[in-house]
Amino acid sequence: MILIALGANLPGPAGEPASALNHALSQLDGKGVKIRRVSSFYETPAWPDPADPAFVNAVALVETAFQPVELLALLHGVETALGRLRSAPNAPRTLDLDLLDYEGRVVTDGLVLPHPRMTERSFVLVPLAEVAPDWHHPVTGQGVKALLAALPDRDIPKKLA
């Protein structure tokens, strides 16, 4: 199981944030990444500055022959093509694609898998639970439902219509 998080909170070459997520999925599908399942889109307040535009977030379950480092390079290429500028950490962006988990592998050299902060982020765990309700963290063994239950209720993102 390979899981990718998608997010955006600024308009860019592909349009508004939800359009950017859809466009990124189609770009990946055309470049050797089979999209098997995509969560609903969720609206999440920006962090650390909630005055920034809200994010649109989702998670996709995919298949690919690319190895993790190759897949991450492809994700970064799609981000760049859709206007992503890497400035300050947590800055508003036209697209953010994160490799969350790659077949349960644990990697700590360069690329870190599973994604090191995913368990703290409701905007990742809520859509992840939708596409992979039986997923378990490769290091802790905790299921996505248990990880979600540990988060404050105020952090739960709102599903977009």
Side-chain angles (χ1 to χ4, degrees), residues 23 33-34 57-58 66 75 150:
H23 193 74
V33 177
K34 291 287 180 204
N57 295 101
F66 292 120
L75 298 178

Side-chain angles (χ1 to χ4, degrees), residues 68-134:
V69 172
E70 297 168 317
L71 179 57
L72 186 62
L74 176 62
L75 298 178
H76 287 170
V78 171
E79 287 177 341
T80 300
L82 294 181
R84 168 83 186 259
L85 300 175
R86 293 185 182 276
S87 56
N90 303 310
R93 59 204 81 142
T94 58
L95 184 63
D96 187 25
L97 300 173
D98 288 328
L99 182 55
L100 300 175
D101 186 18
Y102 191 104
E103 298 177 343
R105 292 186 192 179
V106 177
V107 180
T108 57
D109 184 24
L111 166 66
V112 177
L113 287 172
H115 190 285
R117 292 170 301 284
M118 67 183 287
T119 61
E120 305 161 9
R121 297 174 169 175
S122 61
F123 62 86
V124 170
L125 295 177
V126 169
L128 190 152
E130 189 178 320
V131 298
D134 297 325

Side-chain angles (χ1 to χ4, degrees), residues 31-88:
K31 295 182 178 181
V33 177
K34 291 287 180 204
I35 309 300
R36 294 297 180 207
R37 197 174 310 149
V38 179
S39 73
S40 301
F41 287 6
Y42 291 85
E43 183 176 280
T44 310
W47 182 89
D49 186 354
D52 285 336
F55 273 85
V56 175
N57 295 101
V59 168
L61 174 66
V62 306
E63 291 178 10
T64 186
F66 292 120
Q67 291 301 304
V69 172
E70 297 168 317
L71 179 57
L72 186 62
L74 176 62
L75 298 178
H76 287 170
V78 171
E79 287 177 341
T80 300
L82 294 181
R84 168 83 186 259
L85 300 175
R86 293 185 182 276
S87 56

